[in-house]
Amino acid sequence: MTEQHAQGFERGTDGPKVIVVGVDGSDSSLRAAAYAGGLARRQRALLAVVYVQPVMSAGAALGAPVAQVTDEIAEDLVAQIREATERTKGIFDVRWEFHTFRGDPYTGLVKAADELTADAVVVGASEQAGHRIVGSVAVRLVKAGRWPVTVVP
């Protein structure tokens, strides 16, 4: 009998303990959050919802209160998540946290996944046509090869 067979049945899960999902308010990111929420619930994992606030160059931001707008988006996302959590309370219980970082989405998600010791990353498919040429955040995350990445259409 090998040592592996001698140990017997192991209770619990070998799945992810922390699932990071990137949200930006787009339909695909909200679908990704719903998908990641289901994964987190089934795996009894922590769902880390991450919004990366874009930082614009000084020249591009002249006259536009960019920080205020991105803060409002973050607050709106938190409100949407809390509302969804309340609607499903008692039916689906998911442990979740909301995190916000400043920067470009790829760098922000990498930083979040590293700091939170993510076991998996979930993102929505890009809805921007230019990403087909330059490469989307999802493709860059997959190419990084540091976590399993799920891209939700």
Side-chain angles (χ1 to χ4, degrees):
M1 186 179 227
T2 66
E3 185 179 321
Q4 182 181 13
H5 289 98
Q7 291 178 355
F9 179 75
E10 180 181 341
R11 290 190 180 266
T13 180
D14 289 330
K17 300 291 182 225
V18 178
I19 299 171
V20 167
V21 60
V23 295
D24 62 7
S26 67
D27 288 343
S28 67
S29 79
L30 297 177
R31 286 191 297 271
Y35 180 86
L39 286 176
R41 179 184 56 81
R42 288 186 296 279
Q43 295 292 331
R44 292 181 172 79
L46 173 66
L47 178 63
V49 181
V50 176
Y51 169 59
V52 181
Q53 296 181 348
V55 176
M56 302 187 88
S57 66
L62 284 177
V66 175
Q68 180 181 344
V69 170
T70 60
D71 286 345
E72 289 171 9
I73 292 170
E75 289 171 17
D76 184 53
L77 289 169
V78 171
Q80 288 181 48
I81 296 163
R82 283 202 175 109
E83 181 182 314
T85 302
E86 285 301 314
R87 278 196 315 263
T88 61
K89 197 172 228 158
I91 301 168
F92 301 117
D93 289 321
V94 176
R95 292 181 306 123
W96 64 276
E97 299 174 348
F98 183 81
H99 300 270
T100 185
F101 294 85
R102 290 194 186 274
D104 72 276
Y106 171 77
T107 304
L109 286 171
V110 167
K111 182 177 179 180
D114 284 344
E115 287 183 10
L116 299 167
T117 320
D119 297 300
V121 177
V122 179
V123 292
S126 175
E127 295 179 351
Q128 297 180 4
H131 284 172
R132 291 187 196 128
I133 300 165
V134 178
S136 68
V137 172
V139 169
R140 293 173 66 195
L141 289 167
V142 169
K143 285 182 177 180
R146 294 166 61 182
W147 322 267
V149 177
T150 302
V151 182
V152 178

